[in-house]
Amino acid sequence: MIRVRFAPSPTGALHIGGARTALFNWLFARHHGGKFILRIEDTDRERSTQESNQAIFRGLDWLGIDWDEGPNNGGPFGPYFQTERLAIYHDYAQKLIAAGQAYHCFCTPEELAVKRAAAEARKEPPRYDNSCRRLAPEEVQQRLARGDKHVIRFMLPAAGESIVEDLIRGRVVFKNEVLDDFVLVKSDGFPTYNFACVLDDHLMEISHVIRGDDHLSNTPRQILLYQAFGWGLPRFAHIPMILGKDRARLSKRHGATSVIAYNDIGYLPDAMINYIAKLGWGHGDQELFSRQELIESFSLEGVTKNPAIFDLDKLNWLNGQYIRNILPERLVDLCEPLVVAKYGRQDFTYLSRVIRLFQDRLVLIPDIVNLCGYFFEKVTAYDPKGAEKYFKKDNAKAILSALGQRLGQLDPFVKEHIEAVFKELAKEMNLKLGEVIHPCRLAISGRTETPPMYDVVELLGKEQVSARIQSALAYL
RNA sequence: GGCCCCAUUGUCUAACGGCUAGGACGCGACCCUCUCAAGGUCGAGAUAGGGGUUCGAUUCCCCUUGGGGCUACCA
């Protein structure tokens, strides 16, 4: 049974890197018909917050990544919040102590800082000096009874190597001597990441640990723990990180990092999924993937080793692709609130026809607001360059006035007839079609670029078109 | 500092020892066209550097350089 997990720590919103780790795990599970588990690693009491939990749920929800076991829906291996599993960590820590593979350490953070500084001054690696290993059992009992602050440390095997057989990177060997007696349980009684992670992955029967590259160096410590407990290892797959434009780890400095912020900016979740799936993974030359196609094609073999830079250009292109491909009704649903917020309540039929006119012209959903204004508001200004070009001509007045007159008499006011009016007028006045259309466009929209003119004229309606042409004539 | 990972156009990537190093975004030109988009065609643009191994290296090995990670009572 394939069982994978996404294990974020709730110290902020779900961001791009986390979202992709979640996605790869989810795709892997869905591809193999396995289970995808969400586990919240909230053992950092200082930084974990309830709001972050919610933000992570919302982010996953927005992306459409659902979990088979985890918070809210539970599961047979719960609880899925690490802070609710404290008794488990405590038990296993005691087992390790009893087996002589872990010990109590009473060194204070201050003492450790001094030792570390001294080691660095001697140009030695800043490792723990194992001093508490040698404490007499009586002294340990005494200090424990006294309630002295302490941590529990892992007793590192003296020598040997820890070998990570990584599904993406191949065999990676670490010498145990470069590690030190790392902390398993903090003085507040909470487990550290490496300890809780191993226990939970084992207890939750995780088969594949798919996680960011930043954990590769942690893996030897974890392997040592699996071995101390006599447990088999899960398969490991370390995926490359996502970096910002400056090749540094993605952070606030790189703009929007939380996945939900992209919703607010106007990206579609499917476009985001498609984009982050392709960051560090590929399948031939295919660029566009539906969810179903991603599930079908995804495999760890297709994952690259090199870090990827998060670049908005391709996301923008993808978003445009997705906007063009969604059902017009759905586009209307997405755009309506924004348009209403800006221009007030509108007749729905009219509003939805307007929005559909712009389906090929949006990169981001909110682009609609700035493109469609003249359909809801009077034209109060003319594009200066356009006015210079189309209104300053000698025949501008004649064209607009003739056009206004004919359109004013047109009945029914429909596209085919409107088109005929423009064509006939151009012919009669011995003008190119554009010479009629351009001034008209400027007159009725104030702009030099709009959707095709006959559509705009028809949708705006006879009354508006006539009025706007009159205003333009007055302006001339 | 020590250990580990990574290295193909500006960006995402393909080529898993063998054609003129392929595709996508972006960029430029052209076509379409009433404008803007969309769409189509074409173009510029890369194997970080140096050593090996080999008949032959993007591909395998080593060194250098560059970037990233871990080295916490963060995860």
Side-chain angles (χ1 to χ4, degrees), chain A residues 62 266-273 319 322-323 326 330 334 365:
Chain A
W62 180 67
Y267 291 95
L268 266 22
D270 285 1
M272 180 58 85
I273 286 277
N319 209 55
Y322 277 85
I323 286 177
I326 56 177
R330 203 164 122 54
L334 290 166
I365 296 296

Side-chain angles (χ1 to χ4, degrees), chain A residues 6 156 210 319 399 408-409 423 429:
Chain A
F6 174 54
L156 202 86
I210 303 170
N319 209 55
I399 294 169
Q409 286 165 0
K423 287 191 168 159
M429 297 184 76

Side-chain angles (χ1 to χ4, degrees), chain A residues 344-353 376:
Chain A
R345 253 297 41 99
Q346 306 293 335
D347 173 76
F348 184 75
T349 308
Y350 179 67
L351 176 128
S352 83
R353 288 183 67 194
F376 307 110

Side-chain angles (χ1 to χ4, degrees), chain A residues 294-327:
Chain A
L294 283 176
I295 290 170
E296 280 161 18
S297 335
F298 187 80
S299 77
L300 292 176
E301 287 75 59
V303 177
T304 55
K305 294 196 251 199
N306 43 318
I309 291 171
F310 185 83
D311 179 36
L312 238 33
D313 281 335
K314 193 142 187 181
L315 211 210
N316 286 338
W317 173 75
L318 273 168
N319 209 55
Q321 292 292 318
Y322 277 85
I323 286 177
R324 264 162 255 143
N325 287 329
I326 56 177
L327 261 15

Side-chain angles (χ1 to χ4, degrees), chain A residues 241-300:
Chain A
M241 302 191 65
I242 300 177
L243 308 177
K245 258 191 147 35
D246 55 0
R247 302 206 154 262
R249 199 186 197 133
L250 216 47
S251 74
K252 290 108 245 152
R253 300 197 331 278
H254 300 99
T257 53
S258 94
V259 104
I260 209 76
Y262 286 87
N263 174 56
D264 304 337
I265 298 170
Y267 291 95
L268 266 22
D270 285 1
M272 180 58 85
I273 286 277
N274 198 146
Y275 179 67
I276 61 180
K278 293 253 330 162
L279 275 187
W281 173 83
H283 185 69
D285 284 343
Q286 191 171 349
E287 297 290 339
L288 265 25
F289 290 87
S290 68
R291 251 157 229 277
Q292 204 40 243
E293 286 173 317
L294 283 176
I295 290 170
E296 280 161 18
S297 335
F298 187 80
S299 77
L300 292 176

Side-chain angles (χ1 to χ4, degrees), chain A residues 37-284:
Chain A
I37 291 112
L38 176 63
R39 182 176 74 222
I40 304 296
E41 307 213 327
D42 52 355
T43 55
D44 184 342
R45 284 209 284 184
E46 304 281 301
R47 300 194 302 147
S48 298
T49 65
Q50 193 53 237
E51 297 76 63
S52 298
N53 284 331
Q54 295 310 317
I56 289 166
F57 299 155
R58 241 190 308 135
L60 290 172
D61 199 52
W62 180 67
L63 290 169
I65 297 176
D66 58 338
W67 54 94
D68 304 303
E69 296 172 24
N72 308 332
N73 55 347
F77 297 88
Y80 295 90
F81 286 96
Q82 289 190 325
T83 46
E84 294 173 15
R85 301 171 64 82
L86 262 23
I88 297 173
Y89 309 130
H90 178 79
D91 279 1
Y92 282 93
Q94 292 309 317
K95 279 183 196 172
L96 242 29
I97 290 172
Q101 292 175 298
Y103 59 95
H104 298 277
C105 168
F106 297 92
C107 298
T108 65
E110 293 72 33
E111 288 168 349
L112 293 173
V114 170
K115 286 178 185 177
R116 201 173 302 129
E120 274 173 46
R122 291 193 305 270
K123 291 190 178 165
E124 285 169 18
R127 291 190 293 150
Y128 179 60
D129 65 3
N130 301 352
S131 52
C132 289
R133 273 194 190 195
R134 294 179 288 276
L135 256 30
E138 307 77 52
E139 185 183 352
V140 172
Q141 286 316 314
Q142 206 175 51
R143 296 183 71 167
L144 248 26
R146 209 199 302 163
D148 280 8
K149 278 219 155 207
H150 65 277
V151 299
I152 297 173
R153 282 184 188 273
F154 183 59
M155 197 178 286
L156 202 86
E161 313 185 306
S162 294
I163 298 166
V164 184
E165 296 287 356
D166 193 271
L167 260 15
I168 292 166
R169 271 145 231 288
R171 165 180 290 229
V172 184
V173 179
F174 296 86
K175 290 194 171 64
N176 292 344
E177 64 197 28
V178 306
L179 272 22
D180 66 356
D181 284 1
F182 56 93
V183 174
L184 302 177
V185 179
K186 302 180 253 183
S187 59
D188 62 3
F190 281 59
T192 56
Y193 163 72
N194 282 309
F195 189 51
C197 177
V198 165
L199 257 20
D200 288 344
D201 283 342
H202 174 75
L203 265 13
M204 292 179 179
E205 297 180 11
I206 300 303
S207 63
H208 294 71
V209 173
I210 303 170
R211 74 215 322 183
D213 219 354
D214 46 338
H215 291 299
L216 183 58
S217 300
N218 280 317
T219 311
R221 295 184 184 80
Q222 299 183 6
I223 287 177
L224 256 10
L225 280 170
Y226 280 100
Q227 288 169 347
F229 283 114
W231 294 337
L233 299 176
R235 309 302 306 272
F236 292 103
H238 288 94
I239 63 181
M241 302 191 65
I242 300 177
L243 308 177
K245 258 191 147 35
D246 55 0
R247 302 206 154 262
R249 199 186 197 133
L250 216 47
S251 74
K252 290 108 245 152
R253 300 197 331 278
H254 300 99
T257 53
S258 94
V259 104
I260 209 76
Y262 286 87
N263 174 56
D264 304 337
I265 298 170
Y267 291 95
L268 266 22
D270 285 1
M272 180 58 85
I273 286 277
N274 198 146
Y275 179 67
I276 61 180
K278 293 253 330 162
L279 275 187
W281 173 83
H283 185 69

